[in-house]
Amino acid sequence: MKQYLVKPDSTVKLSKWDPNDTGDFKGGKKEGQAEIRKLNAKLESLQELLFAEHKHKVLVVFQAMDTGGKDGTIRRVFDGVNPAGVRVASFKAPTSEQLDHDFLWRIHKETPGNGEMVIFNRSHYEDVLIVRVHDLVPKKVWSKRFDQINEFERMLAENGTTILKFYLHIDLDEQKERLQARLDDSSKHWKFRLGDLAERKRWPEYMNAYEDVLNKTSTDHAPWYIVPANRKWYRDLVISSVLVDTLEGLKMKYPESEENLDGVFIE
Ligand code: AMP
Ligand code: MG
């Protein structure tokens, strides 16, 4: 899955990244889903190990355009993990209290502790995406945030946090289909906001803002992955693989008991 990793200081053009890509995976949807089930079982045991070892912190960031699939990805990829050690933090438009602080204040409070895995559904990156596209703060404010984000993430990494960031890449046609599906199904109306249509009109501006994010904030300590996300099964497969590979790379071990259990006999 290395082909989806954004190298530090690259010059990504999103128009060159195919949202329908299925890489070198030989099978189709059915084979893909079987593979995802295997990876999911591995993820469950790795997460238990993470929790038991209580040493590493794991932060997984999801960003995407509306209908990009953040909710579905979280539901499927993390299916069956132990809720005692996994938490989702969703970031909406900031409250007035949050706006009274620096943009990382609300973010830092949600970061994982030892043994914990935290999933960000949207993140501090909104502060250089929607905030930039809508001129919510002046350029001289948001343009400094790329460095501020890199330094913040470096600090988290140096304090034991493994950070993975996924941009779910869909195209305008796929968004149209997914918005239409929401409109056609009254049980999905709660997800549909008329404002989403106004955002859709700004697609090129968002792509431009995303390109800056990917080019300026993919680092060795907090890399971005551009996930082809038109096909949901392939999206889930890429993310599950990266998660499992990364967690396996931590070489975690179950802790030994602090007491001597030799010869202990239960009556
Ligand atoms: P949803 O994820 O569909 O529930 O929508 C949440 C909304 O909150 C999206 O339109 C985000 O762009 C918006 N949002 C999240 N963070 C910020 C932020 N820092 N400033 C302004 N809007 C934000
Ligand atoms: Mg929405």
Side-chain angles (χ1 to χ4, degrees):
M1 298 300 172
K2 282 273 178 272
Q3 69 262 44
Y4 305 119
L5 177 75
V6 180
K7 296 198 186 75
D9 300 312
S10 13
T11 43
V12 164
K13 276 307 267 171
L14 281 171
S15 55
K16 299 222 168 73
W17 291 68
D18 179 10
N20 286 303
D21 185 30
T22 51
D24 34 28
F25 188 73
K26 296 285 180 289
K29 182 172 173 176
K30 236 178 102 203
E31 292 82 1
Q33 286 171 336
E35 191 59 31
I36 292 166
R37 276 194 294 277
K38 284 191 216 153
L39 288 165
N40 181 258
K42 285 192 188 172
L43 184 65
E44 275 180 43
S45 5
L46 285 160
Q47 186 263 320
E48 185 181 286
L49 191 51
L50 177 84
F51 187 74
E53 195 190 41
H54 201 74
K55 177 175 162 194
H56 298 277
K57 311 160 172 78
V58 177
L59 176 60
V60 186
V61 174
F62 288 108
Q63 282 290 155
M65 296 295 287
D66 289 320
T67 74
K70 298 185 300 299
D71 299 343
T73 300
I74 294 169
R75 201 167 53 236
R76 268 189 286 247
V77 170
F78 297 92
D79 185 35
V81 295
N82 185 350
V86 182
R87 182 160 57 82
V88 180
S90 302
F91 296 96
K92 311 266 179 194
T95 63
S96 59
E97 189 194 19
Q98 290 169 346
L99 283 172
D100 280 344
H101 293 78
D102 69 86
F103 76 106
L104 293 170
W105 181 73
R106 66 172 183 162
I107 306 294
H108 200 174
K109 287 203 281 196
E110 300 290 350
T111 55
N114 289 340
E116 202 182 13
M117 186 184 283
V118 173
I119 302 156
F120 278 6
N121 185 342
R122 301 187 191 271
S123 64
H124 40 306
Y125 287 98
E126 294 292 327
D127 292 279
V128 285
L129 291 165
I130 189 169
V131 165
R132 170 180 180 175
V133 170
H134 285 267
D135 282 321
L136 299 181
V137 301
K139 179 171 183 182
K140 76 176 200 321
V141 174
W142 63 253
S143 59
K144 293 202 177 82
R145 291 181 172 170
F146 299 103
D147 286 342
Q148 292 165 354
I149 288 173
N150 286 337
E151 285 309 307
F152 170 67
E153 291 177 351
R154 174 191 301 283
M155 184 278 292
L156 295 178
E158 286 175 354
N159 285 280
T161 311
T162 298
I163 306 172
L164 291 171
K165 302 182 295 198
F166 296 102
Y167 163 64
L168 312 182
H169 185 41
I170 59 164
D171 57 25
L172 258 176
D173 290 340
E174 183 67 21
Q175 191 193 49
K176 183 173 188 198
E177 271 185 38
R178 294 186 187 182
L179 283 171
Q180 189 64 51
R182 283 185 185 177
L183 205 50
D184 294 344
D185 176 352
S186 64
S187 77
K188 292 200 172 140
H189 284 181
W190 65 276
K191 276 195 170 200
F192 192 96
R193 265 181 275 123
L194 288 172
D196 294 348
L197 300 179
E199 295 305 287
R200 177 174 164 78
K201 290 215 177 83
R202 294 175 180 252
W203 190 276
E205 292 167 72
Y206 271 106
M207 288 304 108
N208 185 39
Y210 265 109
E211 283 169 356
D212 267 357
V213 162
L214 296 163
N215 293 332
K216 293 178 199 283
T217 66
S218 197
T219 56
D220 291 329
H221 58 271
W224 275 107
Y225 289 83
I226 300 175
V227 182
N230 274 8
R231 292 191 171 85
K232 295 174 182 169
W233 65 269
Y234 190 67
R235 170 199 75 195
D236 295 347
L237 181 63
V238 170
I239 294 165
S240 305
S241 305
V242 172
L243 277 167
V244 166
D245 285 352
T246 306
L247 292 174
E248 282 178 346
L250 295 179
K251 308 274 179 245
M252 298 180 284
K253 284 198 208 69
Y254 280 103
E256 313 243 343
S257 169
E258 287 169 13
E259 295 156 308
N260 184 1
L261 301 183
D262 292 345
V264 172
F265 176 75
I266 303 167
E267 284 178 33

